[in-house]
Amino acid sequence: MRRLALSDEILLSIQQPARYIGGEVNMTVKDPSQMDIRFAMCFPDVYEIGMSHLGIQILYHMFNRREDTYCERVYSPWTDLDKVMREEKIPLFALESQDPVKDFDFLGITLQYEMCYTNVLQILDLSQIPLHSRDRGDSFQFPIVIGGGPCAYNPEPLAEFFDLFYIGEGETVYGQLLDAYKEAKKKKKSRREFLEMAARIPGIYVPAFYDVTYREDGTIQGFKPNNPHAPAKVTKELVVDMDSVSYIEKPLVPFQKVTQDRVVLEIQRGCIRGCRFCQAGNVYRPLREHGVEYLKRHARQLLESTGHEEISLSSLSSSDYTHLPELVDFLIEECRAKKVNISLPSLRIDAFSLDVMSKVQDVKKSSLTFAPEAGSQRLRDVINKGLTEEVILQGAMEAFQGGWNRVKLYFMLGLPTEQQEDMEGIALLSEKIAEVYYDTVPKEQRHGKVQIVASSSFFVPKPFTPFQWAKMCTKEEFLDRAYLVKNKFRAMKNFKSLKYNWHEADVTVLEGVLARGDRKISAVVEAAYRNGALFDSWSEEFDNSLWMKAFDQCGIDPDFYTVRERGLDEVFPWDFIDAGVSREFLKREWLLAQKGQASPNCRQRCSGCGARDFGGGVCYEDKD
């Protein structure tokens, strides 16, 4: 019997105790005393969010294939258990062994979204690990704290709290890092000596080995290594041959319902589309596909080892996967007998995609999701969406004639060059889609009224996108734009068939600060955490006043990071990272955006982004 870190009394007093007990189906069990390396893999949010993340599952199984390593999991305790742990001085623990995280060799924290940053400090604090890397001494008394994930492409707002950052895809050099750690321990090297060994490994960034200088206006003057082992540029790691890396064979199966309670099959990485607002579409270039036989084999393994009732195909743009028809036909045959549903997110609006969805969905159609992103063709060209109104309406017509009557539409407000007609276009396009239903579907074939739900998020310029130079709206400007769109919806003749909602504006503004912040923002994150900020991505927990107080305490104006448009030659906090797309390409796309000119996707013509031969990889068109 495993000893649980929490008593029965505590488990019975908190919400969803299954979050903290481990023991799930397919959980890895090893003898910690026989391991050279113990790695605590953390998702800094609650269990049901973290358990739905594919990257954690991939790394968990990859690490545990090593005979010398035991990888365990840790998630953020919800506020009820957080309070108990502080009062009772219970150190944060890993689910598998229930041992304290502070006794591990590594604490790896994935950074999937900016609004988890105060939860990172909660993890360190509850683990009884000093928040600042400089306070962890020169021994191995505390774990090596390493960050990764998409937000690591601008690690500077968290630079004070991490020993290392892993830039890029985890399957490539983690083995080298773990081997270096074993060597350092064997030769009785210091913590600093190990960090120097790590800094020489491609893709590894050690913040302590770099100095930042600032100009009088607050912009960065220089960013230079202060240690001879640290490179001036840290180059992202990339898996070139997707079929050369192993996939999950036996995914962890949670005891309780999680956000994505299904098997996930990653079919490709990268994207050919070139949307100018999309960070993932840039940093994960070039497009790399899994072979269809590889996917068939792993789909069988995943279903047999879990008992899940749904399998989802994961990618940034599933429609662009070369062998999608063959894969879908295989899954339909494989899943029919097992009564397993197939989920196909990230499909484009076209006849092919709708035909695929018709094959895999029940007679009772679920809602379709389209992402026009902008309400006018002019603005869709600015953001390089590659989607015309004609294609959108044609796709809607084919969907309605195929039996769907519910459509979700996703837009953004506050995009560069946005005008009033672009905003009003959100309501106009939504109504045009509703009209397609009533104009093209005979009454006797309709499944009730059409339902169009349009949602707006607010635009945040992200690093390594052509829009990294753009300014953001203020909270008030965002809300004014949302109300303008809302009022336009109210004026639509099909208003009862239309629904409109929008994201929280103050959360978006804060996300913009954290996304483009420099090292000075570390102090703000810490101050907000000490003020009580936690679970900022949860609407019911987010308190903007705690953050505004933190900015005041640190003497930092958030507008400096948001509403200020950058000069083309400004040094960004993330410029020391080579993410595969060149600054010249991003600048060129930014200037084209301001002219309203679209660029072709990667299959139509290479735009010279720099990723074509990155790391030995090739763009998709070169395989023909």
Side-chain angles (χ1 to χ4, degrees):
M1 275 296 279
R2 286 186 314 137
R3 171 194 56 81
L4 296 180
L6 302 176
S7 67
D8 290 349
E9 182 182 8
I10 292 174
L11 288 169
L12 290 170
S13 70
I14 59 175
Q15 300 176 42
Q16 302 186 45
R19 289 168 168 164
Y20 312 108
I21 61 175
E24 303 99 327
V25 172
N26 295 332
M27 185 186 87
T28 299
V29 178
K30 294 186 178 183
D31 182 353
S33 67
Q34 300 301 308
M35 296 295 112
D36 294 319
I37 300 171
R38 298 191 68 185
F39 198 113
M41 183 68 71
C42 172
F43 194 104
D45 209 322
V46 289
Y47 174 91
E48 51 267 38
I49 303 294
M51 275 291 285
S52 301
H53 183 244
L54 177 63
I56 289 271
Q57 293 247 19
I58 290 174
L59 292 179
Y60 178 83
H61 287 85
M62 182 183 83
F63 287 165
N64 280 320
R65 287 190 187 98
R66 288 178 60 118
E67 294 183 357
D68 60 355
T69 303
Y70 191 11
C71 181
E72 305 182 43
R73 293 161 297 134
V74 61
Y75 305 103
S76 287
W78 187 244
T79 53
D80 54 353
L81 181 58
D82 177 283
K83 183 173 183 290
V84 172
M85 294 180 75
R86 294 178 194 274
E87 290 173 350
E88 301 292 330
K89 293 183 171 52
I90 301 170
L92 187 61
F93 53 90
L95 296 193
E96 278 74 4
S97 65
Q98 301 279 298
D99 289 342
V101 170
K102 64 181 178 182
D103 295 338
F104 281 61
D105 298 289
F106 285 89
L107 170 58
I109 304 177
T110 185
L111 304 168
Q112 294 295 314
Y113 36 83
E114 290 84 1
M115 302 313 296
C116 73
Y117 285 3
T118 53
N119 280 57
V120 170
L121 300 194
Q122 177 211 31
I123 294 292
L124 295 172
D125 204 4
L126 290 180
S127 299
Q128 300 172 7
I129 298 170
L131 296 188
H132 292 261
S133 58
R134 64 175 178 267
D135 296 330
R136 294 172 197 148
D138 205 24
S139 70
F140 293 100
Q141 177 186 354
F142 299 105
I144 300 295
V145 181
I146 180 167
C151 291
Y153 281 97
N154 178 21
E156 291 303 277
L158 294 175
E160 301 289 338
F161 313 119
F162 283 83
D163 299 304
L164 305 171
F165 286 93
Y166 186 115
I167 312 297
E169 296 171 353
E171 294 97 332
T172 58
V173 299
Y174 251 125
Q176 289 177 244
L177 184 66
L178 299 183
D179 289 342
Y181 180 80
K182 280 179 65 175
E183 181 184 348
K185 292 293 290 287
K186 182 179 179 181
K187 294 182 178 178
K188 300 188 178 344
K189 292 183 179 288
S190 66
R191 190 182 187 94
R192 181 179 179 84
E193 287 174 317
F194 165 68
L195 293 178
E196 290 177 339
M197 294 168 68
R200 296 197 293 268
I201 297 172
I204 301 297
Y205 167 54
V206 183
F209 293 167
Y210 296 80
D211 292 326
V212 189
T213 55
Y214 297 90
R215 303 181 188 277
E216 286 188 12
D217 63 1
T219 59
I220 294 174
Q221 182 177 41
F223 188 96
K224 295 180 180 178
N226 59 33
N227 187 296
H229 301 283
K233 277 273 186 185
V234 178
T235 303
K236 76 169 180 183
E237 281 299 296
L238 186 83
V239 175
V240 177
D241 179 2
M242 290 294 288
D243 287 358
S244 68
V245 294
S246 55
Y247 198 64
I248 311 160
E249 293 176 0
K250 295 183 177 182
L252 290 152
V253 182
F255 282 141
Q256 66 176 64
K257 186 171 178 59
V258 297
T259 307
Q260 296 182 21
D261 209 358
R262 59 181 74 100
V263 159
V264 180
L265 186 66
E266 183 185 36
I267 60 176
Q268 62 187 11
R269 288 183 192 169
C271 185
I272 64 169
R273 295 294 162 181
C275 297
R276 290 171 177 145
F277 58 84
C278 181
Q279 185 185 51
N282 282 284
V283 300
Y284 294 135
R285 291 184 178 208
L287 180 76
R288 292 147 292 141
E289 298 183 337
H290 275 300
V292 69
E293 295 305 319
Y294 176 102
L295 294 175
K296 288 178 182 179
R297 182 172 71 254
H298 283 284
R300 282 199 186 98
Q301 288 178 337
L302 293 169
L303 292 171
E304 288 171 1
S305 64
T306 62
H308 273 302
E309 297 177 348
E310 184 172 338
I311 184 168
S312 176
L313 303 186
S314 171
S315 93
L316 292 174
S317 181
S318 298
S319 302
D320 294 323
Y321 177 61
T322 308
H323 307 290
L324 188 63
E326 181 182 351
L327 179 61
V328 167
D329 288 343
F330 165 79
L331 289 175
I332 290 171
E333 190 66 31
E334 193 75 13
C335 294
R336 183 182 289 124
K338 297 181 173 66
K339 297 184 178 179
V340 172
N341 294 322
I342 303 168
S343 172
L344 293 166
S346 306
L347 287 176
R348 292 178 68 80
I349 310 168
D350 53 35
F352 164 69
S353 299
L354 291 166
D355 180 59
V356 169
M357 292 187 72
S358 294
K359 289 179 180 179
V360 302
Q361 289 203 2
D362 297 328
V363 176
K364 184 181 179 182
K365 308 287 188 180
S366 64
S367 62
L368 278 177
T369 300
F370 297 163
E373 307 294 0
S376 71
Q377 191 57 49
R378 185 198 71 81
L379 195 53
R380 283 193 291 275
D381 289 342
V382 167
I383 66 176
N384 207 41
K385 182 62 184 175
L387 198 60
T388 65
E389 183 172 297
E390 181 183 3
V391 169
I392 294 169
L393 297 180
Q394 179 68 24
M397 181 187 73
E398 291 170 354
F400 294 146
Q401 291 176 346
W404 282 276
N405 69 333
R406 289 175 291 165
V407 175
K408 294 178 182 177
L409 301 172
Y410 289 117
F411 297 92
M412 275 187 284
L413 283 173
L415 287 161
T417 78
E418 184 178 67
Q419 304 296 324
Q420 181 171 336
E421 53 265 33
D422 304 313
M423 302 176 228
E424 292 178 341
I426 293 173
L428 294 171
L429 180 59
S430 299
E431 182 173 62
K432 286 180 182 178
I433 292 172
E435 288 174 344
V436 165
Y437 179 78
Y438 294 113
D439 292 345
T440 63
V441 181
K443 281 187 178 181
E444 61 274 13
Q445 295 178 18
R446 295 175 191 167
H447 301 283
K449 291 184 177 181
V450 69
Q451 300 171 42
I452 310 293
V453 180
S455 300
S456 288
S457 61
F458 296 124
F459 166 68
V460 176
K462 292 295 179 82
F464 297 108
T465 69
F467 288 165
Q468 63 183 357
W469 285 277
K471 64 180 181 179
M472 281 181 67
C473 294
T474 64
K475 172 184 174 180
E476 293 72 25
E477 288 170 336
F478 276 138
L479 291 176
D480 286 345
R481 293 174 189 227
Y483 294 141
L484 185 153
V485 177
K486 180 69 173 177
N487 289 334
K488 190 67 176 178
F489 267 94
R490 286 175 174 155
M492 298 290 102
K493 65 181 180 182
N494 287 311
F495 176 62
K496 290 185 179 180
S497 296
L498 308 175
K499 183 179 179 182
Y500 177 66
N501 51 55
W502 59 88
H503 191 55
E504 298 98 329
D506 46 10
V507 173
T508 303
V509 171
L510 181 55
E511 182 186 338
V513 176
L514 298 176
R516 295 200 290 182
D518 51 30
R519 285 197 185 184
K520 297 174 188 174
I521 297 301
S522 290
V524 179
V525 174
E526 183 175 353
Y529 171 70
R530 296 196 185 283
N531 292 340
L534 198 62
F535 288 104
D536 295 303
S537 62
W538 295 70
S539 298
E540 65 269 32
E541 296 297 324
F542 178 69
D543 184 345
N544 195 52
S545 67
L546 301 177
W547 281 92
M548 294 303 103
K549 180 181 176 182
F551 282 111
D552 288 340
Q553 289 168 327
C554 299
I556 289 177
D557 180 5
D559 287 355
F560 177 80
Y561 298 95
T562 54
V563 301
R564 180 179 63 86
E565 186 169 320
R566 272 59 168 170
L568 285 176
D569 296 324
E570 180 171 330
V571 177
F572 291 129
W574 52 88
D575 276 348
F576 69 94
I577 296 173
D578 180 359
V581 288
S582 70
R583 188 181 176 102
E584 291 70 28
F585 163 75
L586 296 175
K587 189 184 294 186
R588 194 162 65 243
E589 285 292 297
W590 170 232
L591 296 174
L592 287 174
Q594 292 173 306
K595 296 176 183 176
Q597 294 180 17
S599 296
N601 70 54
C602 298
R603 282 190 183 151
Q604 294 172 323
R605 176 170 58 81
C606 178
S607 294
C609 71
R612 186 182 182 92
D613 300 308
F614 189 81
V618 292
C619 286
Y620 181 83
E621 64 174 20
D622 298 326
K623 295 182 181 179
D624 295 335

